[in-house]
């Protein structure tokens, strides 16, 4: 008897928040409800705004301590654990898909999940029972990231959930803690419309074609994971749906599912 093929997984872009997300009265429940509606992944491939390394790096393929890549928070945020299994088989698949296409790959076996990866995973898959592999962004060039996503797209047919983890707007220096700033709402509305229209060219050139693009993302690392997701979504862009929207501490938490 042949094995049953795994269900094709969607590709996600989510706004990952920060360690205090766990204390928010709304957002953890939104993430939990999202994951409850997904097929159970065989493994999760995370691309976080908080890991840039070239050539593209594969994180630990066995369970290692988390990376608490933040400062000045209360001590209990540094006590969070997420002991998900490593994903050596997924790592080998990533190597084959990328190296075969001419993308060099390196291994960083002691690099644990950073907060862009584990903060949302704690809420979405709290049992920590699914193997997780985090990979770095070797560039912030949207087109190159889309190409990486395209190369990784076949993993979706193997039951792998591909997640780009960033923040739909991200400019901490420009926040004044007096409500949601105009640049954040303007960019969020523009981004929603561009996604609805499947206007990939506009998204790729968001710094010039969007209102307040440079204010919403003075550095592009929190928007960049979206392009890995878009590449992995391939021809399924019409199936896009916004799962989470609204704002958190003035930043747009828009999160999107393809497929």
């Amino acid at each position: 008897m042949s094995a049953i093929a795994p269900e094709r997984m969607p590709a996600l872009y989510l706004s990952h928040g920060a360690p205090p997300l766990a204390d928010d009265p709304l957002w953890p429940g939104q993430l939990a409800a999202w994951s409850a509606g997904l097929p159970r992944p065989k493994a999760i491939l995370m691309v976080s705004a908080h890991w840039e390394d070239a050539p593209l790096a594969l994180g630990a393929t066995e369970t290692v301590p988390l990376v608490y890549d933040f400062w000045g928070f209360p001590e209990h945020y540094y006590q969070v654990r997420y002991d998900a299994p490593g994903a050596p088989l997924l790592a080998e698949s990533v190597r084959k898909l990328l190296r075969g296409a001419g993308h060099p790959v390196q291994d960083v076996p002691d690099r644990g999940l950073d907060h862009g990866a584990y903060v949302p995973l704690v809420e979405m898959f709290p049992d920590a029972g699914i193997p997780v592999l985090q990979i770095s962004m070797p560039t912030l060039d949207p087109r190159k990231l889309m190409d990486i996503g395209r190369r990784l797209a076949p993993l979706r047919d193997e039951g792998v959930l591909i997640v780009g983890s960033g923040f739909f707007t991200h400019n901490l220096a420009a926040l004044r803690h007096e409500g949601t700033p105009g640049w954040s709402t303007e960019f969020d509305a523009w981004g929603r419309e561009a996604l609805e229209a499947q206007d990939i060219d506009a998204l790729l050139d968001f710094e010039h074609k969007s209102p307040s693009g440079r204010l919403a993302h003075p550095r592009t690392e929190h928007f960049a994971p979206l392009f890995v997701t878009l590449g992995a979504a391939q021809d399924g862009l019409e199936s896009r749906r916004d799962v989470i929207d609204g704002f958190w501490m003035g930043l747009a938490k828009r999160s999107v599912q393809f497929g």
Side-chain angles (χ1 to χ4, degrees):
M1 182 181 296
S2 62
I4 298 174
E7 183 173 355
R8 189 179 206 210
M9 296 300 299
L12 313 184
Y13 170 81
L14 56 80
S15 296
H16 61 239
L21 176 151
D23 301 324
D24 187 79
L26 178 63
W27 203 354
Q30 292 176 316
L31 289 167
W34 189 2
S35 62
L38 298 173
R40 179 80 172 176
K42 289 182 61 179
I44 300 171
L45 182 63
M46 295 291 301
V47 182
S48 163
H50 294 281
W51 192 16
E52 299 173 50
D53 197 357
L56 185 143
L58 308 182
T61 56
E62 60 183 38
T63 305
V64 299
L66 300 176
V67 177
Y68 301 105
D69 53 338
F70 45 86
W71 298 267
F73 286 82
E75 181 61 27
H76 69 274
Y77 294 122
Y78 301 92
Q79 305 304 318
V80 174
R81 296 188 57 177
Y82 194 74
D83 298 326
L89 295 179
L90 175 56
E92 185 57 32
S93 295
V94 171
R95 290 187 194 100
K96 290 178 180 177
L97 288 168
L98 294 182
R99 285 176 177 164
H103 292 278
V105 176
Q106 62 172 318
D107 291 279
V108 185
D110 59 348
R111 213 280 184 177
L113 304 176
D114 61 46
H115 83 268
Y118 78 77
V119 164
L121 289 178
V122 165
E123 309 303 334
M124 297 180 79
F125 303 101
D127 64 355
I130 301 172
V132 179
L133 176 69
Q134 185 173 348
I135 65 174
S136 73
M137 292 190 295
T139 177
L140 295 181
D141 183 318
R143 288 170 176 80
K144 292 180 179 178
L145 291 172
M146 277 196 71
D147 182 62
I148 289 170
R150 291 189 190 100
R151 304 295 180 184
L152 297 174
L155 296 172
R156 295 176 56 201
D157 291 317
E158 300 175 14
V160 176
L161 181 65
I162 298 175
V163 182
S165 176
F167 224 135
F168 208 73
T169 60
H170 192 268
N171 186 346
L172 301 181
L175 292 176
R176 296 292 180 265
H177 304 290
E178 298 173 355
T180 302
W183 53 260
S184 191
T185 57
E186 288 172 357
F187 186 88
D188 179 61
W190 175 85
R192 174 181 54 78
E193 292 173 0
L195 286 167
E196 287 178 350
Q198 302 175 44
D199 192 346
I200 302 303
D201 289 338
L203 291 164
L204 287 166
D205 196 20
F206 72 93
E207 290 180 288
H208 302 101
K209 293 187 176 179
S210 65
S212 306
R214 294 185 183 276
L215 265 175
H217 292 284
R219 193 171 184 276
T220 63
E221 79 285 348
H222 276 76
F223 204 54
L226 172 65
F227 297 104
V228 179
T229 300
L230 288 171
Q234 292 192 323
D235 57 356
L237 299 180
E238 71 282 352
S239 66
R240 175 210 57 85
R241 67 184 184 94
D242 294 325
V243 181
I244 299 173
D245 58 13
F247 298 85
W248 187 69
M249 297 185 178
L251 302 178
K253 61 179 186 177
R254 184 169 303 281
S255 298
V256 188
Q257 175 174 325
F258 300 90

